[in-house]
Amino acid sequence: MKFLIQRVLEASVKVDGETVGSIGKGLLVFVGAGREDDRAAADKYLKKLLGLRIFEDENGKTNLSLKDVNGELLFVSQFTLYANCKKGNRPSFIEAGDPDTANELYEYIIREASKSVPVVRHGIFGADMKVHLVNDGPFTIILDEHIL
């Protein structure tokens, strides 16, 4: 599994010109599921995501979590996080999970996050999405198997 996390002041995702999800201050999270991923992996990544202290406190230190700042979440599925560019110039996506399993994990992550975060929005799995964001910082973190 891979999460690309961006701390944002606002973010939204459109499908066919219509906004399907938008948030204010919080985290925009691009989610990629790999071939070996399961719900246990999703739980591990979600726990790490929700515990990250990447918002600034009154002293300007990154010391606060999403919950501490009443932040919102926007999830966007993105299998291209599994692009392998080692050979040639055309990326291979062989390490990405199959669409049915990846979609199930994506939906699972959204449901689980909604249990502890009041505002959770999301894009549409497999759709051609247009993502708009105002990155706060900029502040971007990648969670993958090398970190967890």
Side-chain angles (χ1 to χ4, degrees):
M1 188 155 291
K2 295 183 182 190
F3 280 9
L4 187 141
I5 304 160
Q6 297 198 344
R7 187 178 73 185
V8 298
L9 296 175
E10 63 183 50
S12 62
V13 60
K14 290 184 178 185
V15 175
D16 296 328
E18 255 190 69
T19 301
V20 296
S22 67
I23 62 168
K25 181 178 182 173
L27 299 175
L28 167 61
V29 183
F30 295 96
V31 178
R35 291 183 302 177
E36 306 293 320
D37 290 329
D38 56 16
R39 286 184 177 199
D43 289 339
K44 187 169 141 179
Y45 276 75
L46 193 54
K47 180 179 179 182
K48 179 61 87 172
L49 170 71
L50 297 178
L52 285 175
R53 297 184 318 168
I54 59 174
F55 291 91
E56 293 179 356
D57 64 16
E58 65 279 356
N59 298 315
K61 302 277 186 193
T62 51
N63 216 14
L64 301 175
S65 69
L66 186 69
K67 184 177 182 178
D68 295 331
V69 299
N70 297 314
E72 302 174 352
L73 279 171
L74 175 60
F75 288 107
V76 175
S77 63
Q78 189 162 2
F79 79 95
T80 60
L81 290 175
Y82 276 90
N84 183 328
C85 300
K86 290 180 183 173
K87 294 183 181 179
N89 293 319
R90 184 173 182 209
S92 167
F93 299 102
I94 196 164
E95 296 170 20
D98 73 85
D100 290 338
T101 303
N103 186 28
E104 188 277 323
L105 288 172
Y106 177 65
E107 296 293 333
Y108 174 77
I109 288 166
I110 293 165
R111 282 192 311 272
E112 291 301 304
S114 296
K115 292 177 181 177
S116 57
V117 178
V119 177
V120 177
R121 304 289 185 252
H122 57 86
I124 298 173
F125 185 89
D128 180 15
M129 295 177 274
K130 307 302 179 206
V131 180
H132 168 80
L133 68 128
V134 177
N135 195 312
D136 183 16
F139 204 108
T140 304
I141 292 177
I142 299 170
L143 292 183
D144 64 15
E145 64 274 4
H146 302 295
I147 295 173
L148 293 180

